[in-house]
Amino acid sequence: MRQDSRAVRNVLFIMCDQLRADYLSCYGHPRLRTPNIDALAARGVRFTSAYVQGSVCGASRMSTYTGRYVASHGAIWNFVPLSVGQKTLGDHLRPHGVRCALVGKTHVEPDVEGARRLGLDPSHGEGRLAMEGGFEPYARDDGIWPPGFKVSGNAYCDWLRARGYVSDNPWHDFANSGRGPDGEILSGWEMRWAREPAAIEASHSETPYTTDRAIDFMREAGDRPWLLHLSYIKPHWPYVAPAPYHALYGPGDVLPAVRSEEERSASHPVMQGFQRDTASRSFSRDEVRATVIPTYMGLVRQVDDELGRLFAFMRDQGLDRDTLLVFTSDHGDYLGDHWLGEKEMFHDPIVRVPLIVVDPREEADATRGSTSDALVECIDLAPTFLDALGLPPAPQWLEGESMVPLLHGQPGAHGKDMVVCENSYAFRDEVRLPLGQPVERCHMTMLRTRRWKFVHFEDLPPQLFDLEQDPQELCDLGRDPAYAAVREEMLARLFDWLRARKRATTIAPSAIESWNARERKAGILIGAW
Amino acid sequence: MRQDSRAVRNVLFIMCDQLRADYLSCYGHPRLRTPNIDALAARGVRFTSAYVQGSVCGASRMSTYTGRYVASHGAIWNFVPLSVGQKTLGDHLRPHGVRCALVGKTHVEPDVEGARRLGLDPSHGEGRLAMEGGFEPYARDDGIWPPGFKVSGNAYCDWLRARGYVSDNPWHDFANSGRGPDGEILSGWEMRWAREPAAIEASHSETPYTTDRAIDFMREAGDRPWLLHLSYIKPHWPYVAPAPYHALYGPGDVLPAVRSEEERSASHPVMQGFQRDTASRSFSRDEVRATVIPTYMGLVRQVDDELGRLFAFMRDQGLDRDTLLVFTSDHGDYLGDHWLGEKEMFHDPIVRVPLIVVDPREEADATRGSTSDALVECIDLAPTFLDALGLPPAPQWLEGESMVPLLHGQPGAHGKDMVVCENSYAFRDEVRLPLGQPVERCHMTMLRTRRWKFVHFEDLPPQLFDLEQDPQELCDLGRDPAYAAVREEMLARLFDWLRARKRATTIAPSAIESWNARERKAGILIGAW
């Protein structure tokens, strides 16, 4: 009899913000070293074709937290509230006795209007959870305050002040800014200061603070099973790192931008719009890349160091034996590739994310240290967690598939034929206004199969890349007459995908299947003579 | 200066259940007389191409009450809960001081799981409203209890008992059954008893009872503006009418069934499934039609008489001067047409409904007594009510369009290019099981343009009717090679329609449009050097 000595009891779900898959040494970066994340990969499966479902933080995270595509949960961009009608990971776990807690960032925007409509109390109980995307906010911190903003009620800022970093906005003034020769603040919001060390001790910066809170949580958690979403804000901008991380890498470690002259002169109209963006114009200059990217790398390295500390703690506590561990990101960062900065479009630097999954069970021993190029999506995480914890699936809600068969190397487990990512350019005037598009016609949908990446736009030509011939996605075939048949096939796939969305969330398929039997039992016989 | 002496203050939204458009004299029935409804048409606009969005009660009503297509609200069939995440007519009206009350049926199924998740109290305040589809249940009565069911807590059944109709289920035993020679109950659930008078005085039957409650509401309502949804259960089965309505019409008044031999021998596989249904087999027999249809007509006539009484009361009270009045139905009844009984598919007897709208304002004087063949949908009612009451639209939620421009005869107001209706055959074993379809692939979607009616099924051929050449929809062109181009065009329309659904309900388009300006004001400048 197999002894199930290593059942999954807890889930540690680690996410970075704006971390590109290729900025980790285990994913092939030639200069950046991330030994602790690499060691994680050696303990689990490293997915090389994992895709997010939204290309900005908010939409991507809401997909991961609900296990549903953007078209299904409706939170189409950053700061779009997650409807109180959506069911989240926490809602799936909590009734089964699994605590679902957050340390760090979620970018969940509360559905205040929905709460008012339903008379929810947003500060207590279920109402509060609904406003927090289903996570118990053990230590929530979404970060990101502009200079001059007076931050109050934020635990990290208060913690900084208690350590002598006193200002209205210590997050900005210390953790995310350097100092000039006369002590003046060199704001991290201006990228020219990226090589300056942050005006803070490394151990007081955001990443260690967040790690400490995760350790606190694990110490206090006791015997009740938990899922902890440990969600680092870094390496997201402002691109400022504390010493020594600001200086670990230099301009010589910066890889050349992936871009072509054709992309600049004749790119897709929506891409042209994003290329006009401030961040894109900045990152198209080599000086900016040489200044910012070493610091981005330093911030990644700091995350890796902190994870090393966390993993050591978990080993000490024996938590590595029964915890399913996931490491991923919400999307990448262009860093000048394709003449773009930030995110929003669907090139691989943005939508392909690192994904490492460590399943502690014996059944996963055969795949430890392996890589998988199976197409997988971040919406697959929620069903994976339910599956690993032995909880029932929720097929009327969850649109992803459990990855456990892949983790256990089961025959026939080979991932998906297609992955999908969505975004809307409605929120960016410099993209939308020149195109004269109404906001409701700015939705963009990416389909990626093994060979093709296709992006559908309303009222505009599509983008199409042949990933076999052009893995760097430099040659857009979206208007090339030779590829009309491929585009037709991808359109048909989009149509099929749209029709298959899960909209009837209030009834389980099993209840539908047994409908007639229950009707007969109730004595209902319609149309009898 | 125009004096707005006849502003719209209240809305009376009357709905029948299972009433075909062509079973009213103003819609051309040659035998049935409905003088009060005809008089209503003389005061307003009678729409001859009005379509419901679901072909069973639940889905149709949830569309009407939310102003959203079935694909958007997700309550795909009867008894599928309306998600707490959906916003209803009442939610749109109540914050503006307009009471939104119900007398009669809604078929709203409470989202108990959603209420539990959010900690709502389903018996009080906002929680109760969410369980009632946003209506204040002034006198809710969904009717329909099988024989032998012990009814408790139902106001109509209690009211019947107080008048001497005493049994466990007086709704069934008296209001919806006749009596045999030895006093035995002749159940209305068996259609062979349809010609028997109900064992109840006419004034105690459901339609007058419901009308009385509406009059009570109007008497009590006072000065606060209101929308009253007066929702009759009749002429929905059981097909039993009290005297004299059981005998007003006879077999000689029954029109021949609209059906062809080809429909029986070579119909669409899903239609074949519904033709196997008990009600379809019954209604395919002339004896059944001759027995049931006269009673159906009597029940319609009783509704008309009761509406006459209600309209007289409203005139007496002066309520006709400032009340927008709508008369419609949730869907029709096959009554043997196309070898079918009941509903579910998309022939005109089911999905085309009567729709009469009386706008009391001067601006509508020019259209009084006119008919309009503009394509309109029942989801247009919610935006029409908001518009008539002078309330702001809710474009992120409402998928219909205000009919006020049509009612006011505005130039350029010409209705829609296309109307849509949806259903799922997943709930009917006799349809689904022979096709071997999983429940999630049983969705069916009708598109109707001015000329064509097209029905899309997953994994099966479509249906296609040329409404110009074949207004009775007897000749299915869904597999005719000559119409391949039409089918392609209709598929493209379906694809366009699906992509245009309103999924981002938590943010207003105006908020998206002003996003960048607000971001700049907050001092957020991303990617600056």
Side-chain angles (χ1 to χ4, degrees), chain B residues 259-429:
Chain B
R259 62 194 186 195
S260 72
E261 277 310 311
E262 194 199 356
E263 282 186 306
R264 186 158 229 184
S265 57
S267 69
H268 189 278
V270 169
M271 188 159 155
Q272 285 178 36
F274 282 112
Q275 286 172 336
R276 280 190 294 271
D277 178 88
T278 305
S280 297
R281 283 186 279 116
S282 294
F283 273 107
S284 294
R285 294 166 51 203
D286 288 340
E287 180 190 9
V288 176
R289 298 186 76 252
T291 305
V292 171
I293 291 175
T295 297
Y296 180 83
M297 293 167 68
L299 289 167
V300 176
R301 178 60 179 269
Q302 189 183 18
V303 168
D304 188 80
D305 282 352
E306 290 298 311
L307 286 178
R309 188 163 68 90
L310 176 69
F311 298 155
F313 166 81
M314 291 178 71
R315 266 193 309 277
D316 285 350
Q317 304 288 315
L319 286 168
D320 54 334
R321 288 198 299 273
D322 54 7
T323 301
L324 183 90
L325 204 153
V326 168
F327 177 84
T328 190
S329 174
D330 63 347
H331 55 75
D333 189 323
Y334 273 113
L335 298 174
D337 287 352
H338 309 287
W339 310 100
L340 289 164
E342 270 275 89
K343 46 229 178 194
E344 304 251 11
M345 294 203 67
F346 302 118
H347 298 88
D348 263 14
I350 301 305
V351 296
R352 187 180 76 104
V353 288
L355 177 65
I356 298 164
V357 186
V358 180
D359 183 333
R361 294 174 290 186
E362 280 175 16
E363 294 91 325
D365 287 351
T367 64
R368 290 191 203 290
S370 69
T371 65
S372 168
D373 71 349
L375 285 172
V376 294
E377 297 179 300
C378 286
I379 57 169
D380 299 337
L381 289 172
T384 301
F385 299 156
L386 292 183
D387 189 350
L389 290 165
L391 302 181
Q396 72 266 41
W397 284 102
L398 297 177
E399 300 190 306
E401 290 170 19
S402 169
M403 291 185 284
V404 168
L406 288 165
L407 299 173
H408 293 186
Q410 289 176 7
H414 49 63
K416 300 177 164 181
D417 295 332
M418 178 177 99
V419 295
V420 178
C421 189
E422 298 169 80
N423 192 23
S424 169
Y425 60 86
F427 296 78
R428 298 256 68 103
D429 288 354

Side-chain angles (χ1 to χ4, degrees), chain A residues 71 81 85 87 113 117 120 191-192 282 427-429 456 458 498-499 503 506 515-516 519 527-529, chain B residues 71 79 81 85 87 113 117 120 191-192 282 427-429 456 458 498-499 503 506 516 519 527-529:
Chain A
K87 191 167 175 174
E113 196 271 342
R117 185 171 77 243
L120 300 182
M191 296 198 291
R192 65 180 179 277
S282 294
F427 295 78
R428 298 256 67 103
D429 288 354
H456 177 267
E458 299 296 336
L498 261 180
R499 297 199 315 280
R503 301 190 177 99
T506 56
W515 195 269
N516 282 216
E519 207 176 71
W529 174 245
Chain B
F79 305 107
K87 191 166 174 174
E113 196 271 340
R117 184 172 76 242
L120 301 182
M191 296 198 293
R192 66 182 178 275
S282 294
F427 296 78
R428 298 256 68 103
D429 288 354
H456 177 267
E458 299 295 335
L498 261 179
R499 295 200 316 278
R503 302 191 176 99
T506 56
N516 282 214
E519 208 175 70
W529 173 247

Side-chain angles (χ1 to χ4, degrees), chain A residues 97-361:
Chain A
V98 180
R99 195 172 166 191
C100 184
L102 164 71
V103 166
K105 167 173 176 168
T106 62
H107 223 295
V108 169
E109 186 73 11
D111 180 6
V112 173
E113 196 271 342
R116 196 178 301 127
R117 185 171 77 243
L118 294 169
L120 300 182
D121 177 352
S123 58
H124 289 98
E126 294 92 342
R128 184 186 190 201
L129 289 170
M131 298 302 98
E132 293 283 350
F135 290 105
E136 169 199 338
Y138 181 83
R140 179 170 176 178
D141 196 339
D142 277 16
I144 316 291
W145 289 280
F149 192 84
K150 201 175 156 83
V151 183
S152 74
N154 173 266
Y156 177 53
C157 286
D158 290 345
W159 186 90
L160 286 177
R161 289 185 190 111
R163 275 148 194 81
Y165 305 101
V166 179
S167 82
D168 279 351
N169 186 350
W171 177 89
H172 171 265
D173 299 345
F174 297 95
N176 285 283
S177 289
R179 285 291 179 276
D182 302 317
E184 71 271 25
I185 291 172
L186 307 177
S187 171
W189 288 77
E190 294 165 46
M191 296 198 291
R192 65 180 179 277
W193 307 124
R195 299 306 309 279
E196 301 295 327
I200 197 166
E201 265 184 50
S203 64
H204 295 158
S205 60
E206 291 173 276
T207 300
Y209 172 83
T210 307
T211 307
D212 285 344
R213 298 293 76 73
I215 290 171
D216 289 347
F217 173 84
M218 291 184 195
R219 275 194 212 283
E220 294 168 14
D223 283 342
R224 186 168 158 209
W226 47 259
L227 177 145
L228 176 65
H229 181 36
L230 168 56
S231 186
Y232 291 109
I233 299 177
K234 297 298 180 184
H236 192 286
W237 48 259
Y239 304 103
V240 175
Y245 297 102
H246 76 297
L248 289 186
Y249 301 97
D253 298 308
V254 174
L255 305 179
V258 174
R259 61 193 187 198
S260 71
E261 277 310 311
E262 195 199 357
E263 282 186 304
R264 186 157 228 187
S265 58
S267 69
H268 189 279
V270 170
M271 188 159 154
Q272 284 178 36
F274 282 112
Q275 285 172 337
R276 278 190 294 270
D277 179 88
T278 305
S280 297
R281 283 185 280 117
S282 294
F283 273 107
S284 293
R285 294 168 49 205
D286 288 340
E287 180 190 9
V288 175
R289 298 186 75 251
T291 306
V292 171
I293 293 177
T295 298
Y296 180 82
M297 292 167 68
L299 290 167
V300 176
R301 178 63 180 266
Q302 189 183 19
V303 169
D304 187 81
D305 281 351
E306 290 299 309
L307 287 179
R309 189 162 68 91
L310 176 69
F311 298 155
F313 167 80
M314 291 179 72
R315 268 194 309 276
D316 284 350
Q317 304 287 314
L319 286 167
D320 55 333
R321 288 198 299 272
D322 54 6
T323 300
L324 182 90
L325 204 153
V326 168
F327 176 84
T328 190
S329 174
D330 63 347
H331 56 74
D333 189 322
Y334 273 114
L335 298 174
D337 287 351
H338 309 287
W339 310 100
L340 290 164
E342 269 276 87
K343 45 230 178 191
E344 303 251 13
M345 294 204 66
F346 301 118
H347 299 87
D348 263 15
I350 301 306
V351 296
R352 186 178 78 105
V353 287
L355 178 65
I356 298 165
V357 186
V358 179
D359 184 333
R361 293 173 290 185

Side-chain angles (χ1 to χ4, degrees), chain B residues 138-169:
Chain B
Y138 181 84
R140 179 170 175 177
D141 196 339
D142 277 16
I144 315 291
W145 290 280
F149 191 86
K150 201 176 158 81
V151 183
S152 75
N154 173 265
Y156 178 52
C157 286
D158 290 344
W159 185 90
L160 286 177
R161 290 184 189 112
R163 275 147 194 82
Y165 306 102
V166 179
S167 81
D168 280 350
N169 185 352

